[in-house]
Amino acid sequence: MIRRFLRCGHSPGALTPEDQAAVDQFRAMLTAVHDPQPWTPGHDQDIAVRVGPFIERAHTRPGDDHSPETITVALVHPDTGHTAGYLHGRQLGYTHRGWLRCETTVILGARQPAYALLTHAAADLPLTDDVGMTPAHYGVHVEARRHDGPGYTLLRRGPYTQTWLVSRDTDRLNTELEGRAKDTAFDVSDHDSCTDPHGADVTALLAAAVAGVSE
């Protein structure tokens, strides 16, 4: 992707302060691209990820390292943290995508402010529908264990696409079970063995599962 900086309206000679700021910004971007800062999996830090010819800012979700090749991220507007950034991000399709599974091969490094020049937002373009990342779905598993035997899964619930929903239902179940429920990455192969998480009371599902085992 090529960015052109034109000196419009100025005669040849010394750079104006505005032109010098643009040149400095461009040089900082080139330095950031050619010398990315290392990133550490499992840490709460923003990273720079390649989306086509662009470089976007992404939030990581500590603990969601599905494998050495995949982590969970959320794409955000480069000015996230400011009201204008949230508004512009909504207009350009950054928000409401939820958490995504990101292959580590598309990660450039830790996010640097200079990368803002290379985002869809800087070009005033919306994010494409296909950003090369699939939704990071989650499930809730309730495990039961006999005193004299192996454990087994009593209840599977998923997939969830919003982390706050899976956290809410896990907390509800842990209130009932004193900490024996856990959230986990959702494996698509488990789809048939899971109950739909939407529109049902998780504690009622648990009661029904326990009643079925007790009969």
Side-chain angles (χ1 to χ4, degrees):
M1 181 170 51
I2 298 175
R3 301 280 184 184
R4 292 184 174 87
F5 291 85
L6 303 178
R7 298 180 61 204
C8 299
H10 300 300
S11 60
L15 292 176
T16 66
E18 293 80 6
D19 288 335
Q20 186 62 57
V23 169
D24 291 343
Q25 188 180 30
F26 184 72
R27 286 175 174 168
M29 180 269 290
L30 289 178
T31 299
V33 170
H34 291 293
D35 188 22
Q37 297 176 358
W39 69 282
T40 304
H43 284 64
D44 187 9
Q45 64 180 148
D46 282 359
I47 57 176
V49 299
R50 298 185 184 276
V51 178
F54 297 87
I55 297 177
E56 295 293 341
R57 178 182 180 182
H59 289 328
T60 60
R61 190 168 190 258
D64 274 355
D65 305 329
H66 297 297
S67 69
E69 296 80 27
T70 309
I71 66 170
T72 299
V73 303
L75 297 178
V76 294
H77 188 278
D79 294 330
T80 292
H82 306 283
T83 302
Y86 283 112
L87 177 61
H88 198 208
R90 186 178 302 108
Q91 293 170 340
L92 297 180
Y94 282 83
T95 58
H96 306 304
R97 287 179 178 267
W99 294 98
L100 304 170
R101 290 185 177 179
C102 173
E103 295 183 2
T104 54
T105 54
V106 303
I107 299 173
L108 184 62
R111 187 257 178 181
Q112 301 181 52
Y115 291 136
L117 285 176
L118 301 175
T119 60
H120 284 76
D124 203 26
L125 294 172
L127 284 173
T128 58
D129 291 336
D130 181 8
V131 294
M133 305 179 198
T134 58
H137 292 164
Y138 295 85
V140 176
H141 292 180
V142 177
E143 296 181 352
R145 183 175 299 275
R146 299 180 184 276
H147 293 295
D148 57 349
Y152 62 96
T153 300
L154 178 65
L155 175 66
R156 296 174 185 262
R157 187 165 165 83
Y160 294 80
T161 56
Q162 298 293 325
T163 54
W164 73 270
L165 289 173
V166 71
S167 296
R168 180 201 64 185
D169 282 356
T170 301
D171 289 343
R172 287 180 176 176
L173 289 168
N174 277 327
T175 298
E176 298 288 328
L177 297 170
E178 299 178 355
R180 284 172 287 177
K182 65 178 182 179
D183 56 32
T184 181
F186 182 80
D187 188 336
V188 68
S189 63
D190 284 341
H191 192 281
D192 291 340
S193 63
C194 288
T195 58
D196 190 330
H198 304 291
D201 184 347
V202 68
T203 55
L205 288 174
L206 175 64
V210 171
V213 172
S214 301
E215 290 176 356

